[in-house]
Amino acid sequence: MSIPPCTEAPNGSGFVHDGSKAYDVSAYNENGQFTLRAERLIVSDACVAEGVKWLGETDVKFAHAAQISGPLPLRLREDGFSQLLGAIVSQQLSVASADAIWRRLKEAELITPVTIQNASDDDLRACGLSRQKIRYARSLCDADVDYIALRQASTQDVVKTLVEISGIGVWTAEIYAMFSLGRADVFAPGDLALQEAVRILFELDTRPSEKQLRKMAENWSPWRADRKSTRLNSSHSSVSRMPSSA
């Protein structure tokens, strides 16, 4: 079943699917906009376009950025264990290095909780994982996260749940909420690429700090995730360092 445009969705009950997960249609608000517990979701190209339009009408700089970047693609990914494992793998690595390690893990079939738990440290090290990342990967297995429940949890609860796992910080949790759960109002001010894009776009002398950028973003709700995409597209930066094959 295809997902209806955010602004044309009928009210009702049941589920719609994006190919990897299900959303409760009863979460549509009175205006027919797709929400989850009062949170907007980005689940289709129409949602992306709606957010970009709203942002352009509220900030001329972002209207200009949207013109430069052109239509933004829907970057919704699968959710679950492998996405978070991919985020751990990619920490402090170039995209090329992270992708190479992820490819070796996939070839060794070491991207599920069961296979990682049954693998030796030597097996994981042979794929390129450091001692610290091996510990993080095992911690993720031991956490036994209920990924289905996260789909219905508030973004605040998603972040709270994930940061309790060794190796997952606020940045990783926010990126997961944004790109794997489609949360429209998530913003990751600790992202250095995003800070640099903001510096360029707003013609600042220096990159804003995480605290400064989080404060700036308060005025961009409820479409802060689209703000991030617009900025990064217009400055030709990468949206995230998760392996592309994750």
Side-chain angles (χ1 to χ4, degrees):
M1 182 184 300
S2 62
I3 296 174
C6 289
T7 56
E8 300 176 7
N11 291 322
S13 59
F15 293 90
V16 291
H17 299 267
D18 71 352
S20 63
K21 60 182 77 70
Y23 296 93
D24 188 347
V25 182
S26 62
Y28 285 115
N29 65 20
E30 65 275 11
N31 296 319
Q33 297 168 323
F34 204 68
T35 66
L36 176 66
R37 297 187 180 187
E39 294 186 43
R40 291 301 304 274
L41 300 181
I42 297 178
V43 295
S44 71
D45 289 332
C47 297
V48 177
E50 180 187 348
V52 171
K53 182 176 182 293
W54 185 90
L55 294 169
E57 291 173 348
T58 59
D59 191 317
V60 66
K61 286 186 178 295
F62 283 95
H64 178 64
Q67 289 180 340
I68 295 175
S69 65
L72 300 180
L74 177 67
R75 291 192 171 94
L76 195 63
R77 301 168 175 166
E78 292 185 359
D79 61 343
F81 177 87
S82 65
Q83 282 295 323
L84 286 174
L85 177 63
I88 289 173
V89 168
S90 66
Q91 289 173 357
Q92 298 179 324
L93 293 177
S94 68
V95 172
S97 295
D99 283 349
I101 294 173
W102 185 254
R103 184 169 55 253
R104 289 195 289 269
L105 287 170
K106 288 187 70 175
E107 291 172 351
E109 298 183 345
L110 295 176
I111 59 172
T112 68
V114 173
T115 56
I116 288 178
Q117 288 173 328
N118 292 334
S120 68
D121 285 0
D122 286 341
D123 292 333
L124 296 173
R125 193 174 297 111
C127 292
L129 291 185
S130 65
R131 179 181 302 176
Q132 184 180 53
K133 289 186 179 180
I134 291 173
R135 180 167 62 84
Y136 290 163
R138 297 197 187 283
S139 177
L140 180 61
C141 294
D142 294 340
D144 194 24
V145 176
D146 187 341
Y147 295 101
I148 302 299
L150 286 185
R151 298 173 186 172
Q152 300 299 327
S154 68
T155 297
Q156 181 178 1
D157 287 342
V158 169
V159 173
K160 180 179 179 181
T161 296
L162 295 182
V163 297
E164 292 178 352
I165 304 169
S166 295
I168 297 180
V170 173
W171 182 86
T172 299
E174 290 176 333
I175 291 296
Y176 181 84
M178 188 186 310
F179 294 112
S180 290
L181 298 180
R183 304 304 168 84
D185 201 32
V186 178
F187 196 73
D191 188 320
L192 293 180
L194 179 58
Q195 292 173 4
E196 178 62 13
V198 171
R199 184 193 69 78
I200 294 171
L201 185 61
F202 284 88
E203 300 178 340
L204 303 176
D205 292 333
T206 59
R207 287 201 304 254
S209 66
E210 179 175 349
K211 182 177 180 180
Q212 290 170 331
L213 189 49
R214 190 176 293 277
K215 182 66 176 178
M216 291 174 66
E218 290 177 358
N219 296 324
W220 307 333
S221 180
W223 291 103
R224 283 178 283 191
D226 260 16
R227 290 273 185 172
K228 176 183 175 69
S229 295
T230 303
R231 284 198 188 105
L232 295 180
N233 269 26
S234 64
S235 62
H236 308 288
S237 299
S238 172
V239 171
S240 116
R241 292 192 297 274
M242 289 186 183
S244 58
S245 55

